[in-house]
């Protein structure tokens, strides 16, 4: 007898309608149901680890996100502006612009140790804008309207340097937004007496970063004082506010020994 080249259902002697139905029956297209997973030690451990990661992330970044969300809601009218008690407050500022320690400004910026001191006055408006009220004498600075916000106990506001600033090796271009950051206690209508001056710059075309360009002193101007620059809110009427911004002054101060040594060496090399 010869061995068959292939075997089929008919070769085993199974023939007829039942064999035809078996050959025509389609294969199942659905997967069998997977049994429900049971939680054990491994699953509970993974859940605890993710819960810990979420808790640490909220502690690290949640405090920053919450005030930003509150300010965004206030901007579209869905909530009251944080720090609304500061609206109508006039601040007298004394700016000290120059190189600061650990700043990310260019190495040549302010390296001579020279600093620009100038005063100005601004008013925090109820709509979230900052209105310049005056600048110190001899400064020739032109300031334009900026914005302000309160995040927790931190007051941030800014003005636009329409004229820019160019003195010695201290240069800020026209249209630069000069940002102020200090502590604030809105319920007491008080702000911190010291703060930091910052600008926003771009590095490598994509990275946006804050760079320190000096510091400032702030004082709240009380309403109802003798005539001066600016106006403040009184009891149902506008009353004058006394503001006399400090005039521009140049001085020299070094933030580290290396900068002082370089300036001293360059001065001795240029002298006859």
């Amino acid at each position: 007898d010869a061995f068959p080249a292939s075997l089929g259902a008919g070769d085993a002697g199974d023939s007829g309608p039942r064999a035809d139905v078996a050959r025509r029956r389609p294969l199942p297209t659905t997967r069998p149901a997977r049994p429900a997973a049971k939680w054990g030690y491994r699953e509970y451990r993974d859940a605890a680890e993710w819960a810990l990661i979420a808790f640490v992330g909220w502690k690290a970044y949640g405090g920053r996100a919450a005030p930003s969300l509150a300010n965004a809601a206030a901007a579209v009218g869905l909530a009251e502006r944080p720090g609304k008690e500061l609206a109508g407050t006039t601040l007298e500022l004394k700016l000290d612009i120059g190189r600061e320690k650990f700043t990310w400004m260019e190495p040549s910026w302010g390296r001579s140790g020279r600093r620009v001191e100038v005063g100005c006055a601004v008013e925090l408006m109820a709509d979230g804008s900052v209105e310049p009220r005056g600048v110190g004498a001899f400064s020739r600075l032109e300031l334009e309207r900026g914005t302000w916000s309160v995040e927790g106990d931190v007051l941030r506001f800014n003005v636009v340097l329409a004229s820019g600033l160019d003195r010695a090796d201290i240069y800020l271009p026209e249209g630069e937004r000069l940002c102020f950051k200090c502590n604030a206690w809105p319920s007491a209508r008080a702000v911190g007496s010291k703060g930091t001056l910052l600008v926003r710059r771009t590095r490598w075309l994509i990275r946006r970063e804050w760079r320190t360009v000096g510091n400032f002193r702030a004082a709240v101007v009380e309403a109802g004082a003798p005539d001066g620059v600016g106006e403040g809110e009184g009891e149902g009427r506008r009353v004058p506010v006394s503001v006399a911004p400090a005039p521009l002054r140049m001085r020299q101060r070094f933030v580290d020994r290396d900068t002082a040594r370089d300036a001293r060496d360059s001065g001795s090399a240029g002298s006859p």
Side-chain angles (χ1 to χ4, degrees), residues 75-159:
V76 297
L78 298 179
E80 293 184 346
R81 178 174 297 277
K84 63 177 182 178
E85 298 85 355
L86 293 177
T89 301
T90 301
L91 300 177
E92 181 181 359
L93 307 172
K94 184 177 180 181
L95 283 55
D96 183 4
I97 304 174
R99 190 168 192 84
E100 294 289 332
K101 199 170 185 178
F102 305 122
T103 184
W104 286 357
M105 291 296 287
E106 295 80 5
S108 60
W109 192 89
R111 191 167 183 80
S112 65
R114 292 184 177 88
R115 307 187 70 85
V116 177
E117 292 183 353
V118 63
C120 67
V122 298
E123 183 177 355
L124 308 181
M125 310 301 289
D127 60 355
S129 63
V130 176
E131 189 69 30
R133 291 304 183 190
V135 295
F138 315 115
S139 64
R140 298 182 181 178
L141 287 179
E142 296 180 8
L143 305 180
E144 293 182 351
R145 176 179 291 195
T147 60
W148 71 276
S149 63
V150 175
E151 299 181 1
D153 59 352
V154 177
L155 170 64
R156 302 175 187 269
F157 61 99
N158 60 77
V159 293

Side-chain angles (χ1 to χ4, degrees), residues 184-264:
W185 300 271
S187 59
R189 291 181 61 87
V191 300
S193 59
K194 296 180 181 180
T196 306
L197 289 173
L198 305 162
V199 294
R200 197 80 181 270
R201 295 292 178 85
T202 301
R203 186 194 295 265
W204 300 319
L205 301 178
I206 57 174
R207 176 178 172 178
R208 297 280 289 171
E209 61 189 19
W210 292 103
R211 300 182 183 181
T212 307
V213 294
N215 57 79
F216 70 94
R217 292 181 176 273
V220 177
V221 179
E222 299 295 338
D227 290 347
V229 180
E231 294 180 342
E233 288 288 350
E235 297 180 358
R237 61 186 181 89
R238 302 288 290 182
V239 296
V241 169
S242 175
V243 178
L248 184 140
R249 187 179 68 154
M250 296 288 295
R251 67 187 182 91
Q252 196 170 31
R253 177 172 67 85
F254 300 102
V255 295
D256 54 48
R257 295 180 179 178
D258 294 338
T259 305
R261 184 176 60 253
D262 293 344
R264 196 164 50 244

